[in-house]
Amino acid sequence: METILAFLVLVGILIWFHELGHFLFAKLFGVKVEVFSVGFGPALFKKQWGETEYRLSAIPLGGFVKLYGEEDGISDPRAFSFKPNWQKILIAFAGSFFNFILAVLIFWLIGMLGREVPKYAFEKPVVGYVQENSPAQKMGLQRGDLILSVNSKRVDNWKDLEEKLLKEIFEQELKLEVLRDGKVLTLEGKMDLKNPRGFGAEPIIEPVVGTVLENSPAKQVGLQEGDRILSINGVEIKSWQEAVKLIRSAEKMDLKIERQGQIREITLIPMKDPRTGISMIGVAPKVETIKVKQDPFEAFKGSLERIAILTSLTLKALWGMITGSLSPTNLGGPIAIAQMAGQSAQQGLIPFLGLMAFISVQLAIFNLLPLPMLDGGLILLFLIESIRRKPLPLKFKEAWQRLGFALIVALSLFVILNDLLRLISGKKF
């Protein structure tokens, strides 16, 4: 229920803001707005206010603003078709523009409110653990390496490293400079977009229990916050990552822990994730965090920078799908969004707002694609008409709309099928 509610709140706000852009720009240019609807299908609630009917409709996967005189041939100054093409283009563009504005405002607010960040994010990027079969391992990165640069760009801390890797994620080649045993080495490789765990190099995280989930195997045997895991089934544990690796494949676990200076031994049976079959005991590491807040100017600047990065990465991802270098199976649909919304809502307001801003950018860019039925498709038609200096034939516009409807239906079915297959296979969205 929490997941559904989080999904409805997230999608409702995004759609409302998008349609608000169309609405306000239509009003700005004197176009009569007949209907403002959040959602499609039968109206659950509607109210006439002035010349506009406001609706909340049953299918919360979109929305629309119905403008008076959208069809050609209406000689009325308040008709959409009567307006010059540059005004039509701005009205069509306004929805995506408002989604960008929403994302900027959210990231700005997050920056000023502050968010909890692991303390290690501001420490030097000394590798504490390298995941198996990760890009980091394939490049030859080793525990103890100090990462100095990524593609000749200096790296100061783990946060800086994460940002540099994010910007380089679609680059064909990745070059790291590392300090190992007093010598500077150059390691080469590439990012693997199919790897769900990312780059694969992590800081040292001490094997100390932070959170113990209710009704979990760990809770049932009495594991507590602050317990240090010394060994699992006789294997000495030096980091949290080593503990996780052993837990995932264990059928039974003999734990040796240290609690308040005393050594204790505990035996427990892990539970299995029903989707993946991976063993879990219901604990999370104890990671010291610090709250990072920015003044309004810094937060606004950071917000714009984040929007620029997200936009660039999204466009590169779309181009990768067009050229075939990135699989379309990476696309997520409503099920993926609902799951992410539920997970982020459980983590708190800041993660939920961050997800909303992220999806708002994706929605803005997607709607600007020059495809029929999308705002970008309308803009393309208006640009062509501006060049031709006369309207396009009615039959062409009707065929364009039918093509758009077919494309949207096909894309919707594809992403929903994608979501279902990932849900069944147990892959994370």
Side-chain angles (χ1 to χ4, degrees):
M1 185 62 188
E2 183 179 2
T3 295
I4 296 174
L5 181 60
F7 172 73
L8 292 176
V9 171
L10 184 144
V11 173
I13 292 175
L14 293 180
I15 293 171
W16 180 80
F17 228 83
H18 182 91
E19 299 305 330
L20 180 65
H22 294 311
F23 175 85
L24 292 179
F25 269 65
K27 289 287 190 181
L28 176 66
F29 296 125
V31 177
K32 179 181 177 181
V33 180
E34 296 182 332
V35 179
F36 183 116
S37 177
V38 175
F40 294 119
L44 301 176
F45 170 82
K46 58 184 179 180
K47 181 176 178 59
Q48 187 76 29
W49 188 13
E51 62 185 16
T52 304
E53 180 181 276
Y54 297 87
R55 297 179 188 172
L56 179 63
S57 300
I59 305 174
L61 298 178
F64 65 93
V65 169
K66 187 177 184 303
L67 305 178
Y68 166 63
E70 291 183 10
E71 62 277 8
D72 292 330
I74 298 180
S75 297
D76 186 332
R78 301 214 61 200
F80 177 73
S81 60
F82 186 81
K83 300 298 179 181
N85 281 325
W86 69 269
Q87 292 186 5
K88 295 178 184 177
I89 289 172
L90 287 178
I91 292 171
F93 175 74
S96 291
F97 178 59
F98 266 55
N99 277 128
F100 279 121
I101 290 177
L102 176 61
V104 169
L105 292 176
I106 290 174
F107 283 135
W108 189 18
L109 178 64
I110 290 174
M112 290 187 292
L113 290 177
R115 54 196 176 94
E116 296 292 335
V117 177
K119 186 179 179 181
Y120 66 72
F122 300 98
E123 296 174 353
K124 288 187 177 296
V126 177
V127 178
Y129 182 79
V130 180
Q131 295 176 3
E132 293 182 3
N133 299 318
S134 66
Q137 187 189 56
K138 293 175 183 177
M139 293 180 71
L141 206 61
Q142 297 180 11
R143 179 172 181 170
D145 287 349
L146 171 61
I147 301 175
L148 302 174
S149 69
V150 174
N151 287 353
S152 301
K153 298 172 184 175
R154 177 180 167 179
V155 171
D156 295 318
N157 50 46
W158 281 103
K159 180 176 177 292
D160 194 26
L161 174 64
E162 181 181 351
E163 292 173 353
K164 294 286 195 307
L165 289 173
L166 182 62
K167 291 178 181 179
E168 303 292 327
I169 193 169
F170 290 104
E171 297 300 320
Q172 293 296 317
E173 300 299 329
L174 191 64
K175 185 181 294 184
L176 300 184
E177 281 189 340
V178 303
L179 182 64
R180 181 186 299 168
D181 299 327
K183 297 180 181 178
V184 176
L185 305 177
T186 300
L187 307 178
E188 297 183 357
K190 60 182 181 180
M191 295 293 287
D192 182 3
L193 297 178
K194 297 179 181 179
N195 193 316
R197 298 183 185 178
F199 181 59
E202 302 174 3
I204 296 175
I205 298 178
E206 297 294 324
V208 178
V209 175
T211 303
V212 182
L213 298 179
E214 293 294 332
N215 303 317
S216 65
K219 188 73 171 181
Q220 292 168 5
V221 298
L223 273 180
Q224 300 177 11
E225 179 182 349
D227 288 348
R228 175 179 287 272
I229 302 174
L230 301 177
S231 70
I232 298 176
N233 293 338
V235 179
E236 184 181 2
I237 300 299
K238 296 181 180 179
S239 70
W240 185 264
Q241 294 93 334
E242 292 175 348
V244 169
K245 182 179 177 181
L246 289 175
I247 291 170
R248 285 179 171 172
S249 59
E251 299 292 332
K252 179 183 176 183
M253 294 174 53
D254 293 320
L255 293 178
K256 182 182 288 186
I257 65 169
E258 179 183 350
R259 179 184 298 166
Q260 297 178 349
Q262 297 183 345
I263 307 299
R264 304 188 181 202
E265 295 185 357
I266 297 174
T267 298
L268 61 79
I269 305 297
M271 60 181 178
K272 296 283 187 180
D273 186 317
R275 296 182 302 162
T276 63
I278 294 174
S279 297
M280 304 181 298
I281 64 172
V283 293
K286 185 175 183 179
V287 178
E288 188 176 352
T289 63
I290 56 176
K291 192 163 188 176
V292 178
K293 296 178 69 173
Q294 297 174 306
D295 63 49
F297 177 78
E298 289 178 333
F300 185 71
K301 179 183 175 184
S303 176
L304 294 178
E305 290 174 350
R306 184 169 294 189
I307 298 298
I309 293 172
L310 281 177
T311 301
S312 173
L313 292 177
T314 302
L315 291 175
K316 288 180 180 179
L318 288 171
W319 180 248
M321 292 180 192
I322 293 171
T323 59
S325 61
L326 185 63
S327 172
T329 57
N330 289 283
L331 287 171
I335 298 175
I337 294 173
Q339 189 179 59
M340 290 188 293
Q343 291 170 348
S344 62
Q346 291 175 353
Q347 295 168 7
L349 178 61
I350 298 300
F352 182 73
L353 289 175
L355 176 66
M356 184 182 293
F358 172 79
I359 296 179
S360 191
V361 173
Q362 314 304 304
L363 181 62
I365 295 172
F366 176 75
N367 269 284
L368 288 177
L369 294 178
L371 298 175
M373 294 289 288
L374 298 180
D375 296 336
L378 282 176
I379 292 172
L380 178 61
L381 291 184
F382 298 143
L383 286 173
I384 293 173
E385 289 183 342
S386 296
I387 294 171
R388 296 177 79 241
R389 296 187 178 182
K390 62 179 180 179
L392 287 162
L394 181 60
K395 288 185 177 180
F396 175 83
K397 290 185 177 181
E398 290 175 347
W400 180 258
Q401 291 298 320
R402 286 195 295 270
L403 174 62
F405 181 76
L407 287 173
I408 294 299
V409 170
L411 180 60
S412 299
L413 292 174
F414 176 77
V415 295
I416 290 173
L417 179 61
N418 248 356
D419 289 352
L420 291 173
L421 289 175
R422 280 185 288 205
L423 200 62
I424 293 169
S425 66
K427 292 182 181 179
K428 292 184 177 180
F429 292 103

